[in-house]
Amino acid sequence: MSRMLIAGNWKMNLTREEALSLTGKLVSTLSEQRAVDVVLCPPFCYIPLVFQGIKGSTIRLGAQNCHPEPRGAFTGEVSAAMLESMEVQFCIVGHSERRQNFGEDDAFIARKIDALLEEGIWPILCVGETLEERKADKTWSVVSGQLKSCLEHVSAEEVSRIAVAYEPVWAIGTGESAIPQQAEEIHSKIREYLKETYGTGSAEATRIIYGGSVDGENAPEMLNQANINGALVGGASLDVEEFEKIVKAAAEA
Ligand code: PEP
């Protein structure tokens, strides 16, 4: 069984002082735990200070996005190569907020994954359906389509370095989490898809994590589902006590 992964997506939140304070508190409450991979994904500008803050602890550093090209005329963007030079170990790609607000499509996300793997950074690939798609009974066709296109160039050796985050769009930032059985149904289909495409060994080693209004209360049941190997946490990652409860639930799952 793979190690649980709990990643905090801070999104575009926190002042510099708040970021420093949150990092310090998380290090003091979580630095002893070794059972779970805990990753913090701050905004780009706070990466150096979070890097300094978590030094010597078991907490790892992630980013929220990257550009597939290593350098060039892409004003405002940050490349996977630059993240690697800042010792970033994980990077979220394909988040629904980027798909919706910045028009990112699967082909572009696939290129980001290629660039991250090339740099030795572990991608966290978000997939998930909108409410309209769920109501139209299109959940699996949407999720499987995103997997197929975003992982187009990925080999069986590489796939276990990717964490697939199933994030139903209707559950993100809404306070309305999927019920654990709903999430598990899609997670088990994702596992099957990975088995058929990459073989059982690679599929079993690939972490499939859930995202969408995870908090301290719903985490224990969610993380006890057979194919849920962790969580991508937005809102609750900004609250030390909530985040700590989620990590504890992962350690006990
Ligand atoms: C997310 O942004 O990936 C997310 C899951 O957010 P929240 O936990 O706030 O729903």
Side-chain angles (χ1 to χ4, degrees):
M1 220 184 75
S2 28
R3 278 166 68 81
M4 285 271 175
L5 169 66
I6 301 294
N9 175 12
W10 291 1
K11 308 194 187 188
M12 197 174 73
N13 288 302
L14 306 179
T15 62
R16 179 179 187 277
E17 286 66 34
E18 287 166 346
L20 270 172
S21 159
L22 179 59
T23 306
K25 286 180 187 158
L26 290 173
V27 167
S28 60
T29 56
L30 297 175
S31 66
E32 294 301 306
Q33 79 79 32
R34 298 191 190 289
V36 177
D37 287 340
V38 175
V39 180
L40 303 182
C41 304
F44 286 137
C45 58
Y46 300 146
I47 281 177
L49 67 88
V50 173
F51 174 76
Q52 285 302 328
I54 62 176
K55 227 177 197 170
S57 83
T58 54
I59 299 177
R60 293 151 182 250
L61 184 58
Q64 299 174 18
N65 181 35
C66 71
H67 193 279
E69 293 297 327
R71 71 191 67 78
F74 300 99
T75 303
E77 291 296 302
V78 172
S79 71
M82 291 169 178
L83 294 177
E84 192 279 332
S85 75
M86 298 304 287
E87 301 191 41
V88 167
Q89 293 174 290
F90 290 80
C91 183
I92 300 168
V93 288
H95 194 283
S96 60
E97 288 156 14
R98 294 213 60 89
R99 292 177 189 262
Q100 283 177 344
N101 302 330
F102 301 94
E104 295 191 3
D105 63 12
D106 290 337
F108 190 53
I109 295 161
R111 289 177 54 214
K112 294 182 190 214
I113 290 178
D114 298 344
L116 289 168
L117 291 173
E118 178 82 25
E119 296 298 336
I121 298 173
W122 294 51
I124 300 174
L125 165 64
C126 302
V127 294
E129 82 287 3
T130 62
L131 190 56
E132 292 67 40
E133 289 162 342
R134 175 163 279 265
K135 282 184 180 159
D137 222 6
K138 289 187 181 153
T139 298
W140 181 241
S141 68
V142 168
V143 170
S144 58
Q146 290 171 337
L147 286 173
K148 191 168 186 289
S149 308
C150 295
L151 299 178
E152 195 177 352
H153 314 125
V154 171
S155 68
E157 287 70 40
E158 290 169 328
V159 77
S160 56
R161 288 164 51 202
I162 296 171
V164 176
Y166 169 56
E167 297 209 307
V169 179
W170 47 272
I172 297 177
T174 58
E176 187 186 339
S177 180
I179 55 172
Q181 294 73 16
Q182 258 174 337
E184 172 60 19
E185 185 192 340
I186 303 304
H187 280 235
S188 69
K189 285 186 172 173
I190 295 173
R191 185 84 66 205
E192 277 314 306
Y193 172 86
L194 295 174
K195 277 185 190 167
E196 282 163 20
T197 314
Y198 299 103
T200 305
S202 297
E204 295 291 354
T206 303
R207 291 187 281 200
I208 308 171
I209 67 177
Y210 171 79
S213 299
V214 174
D215 59 23
E217 201 177 321
N218 61 30
E221 197 185 346
M222 193 63 86
L223 295 170
N224 269 298
Q225 304 299 312
N227 287 289
I228 300 189
N229 310 119
L232 181 54
V233 185
S237 72
L238 302 171
D239 181 312
V240 182
E241 281 173 24
E242 284 297 311
F243 197 61
E244 197 187 355
K245 279 186 199 159
I246 297 167
V247 173
K248 193 161 173 271
E252 288 168 0

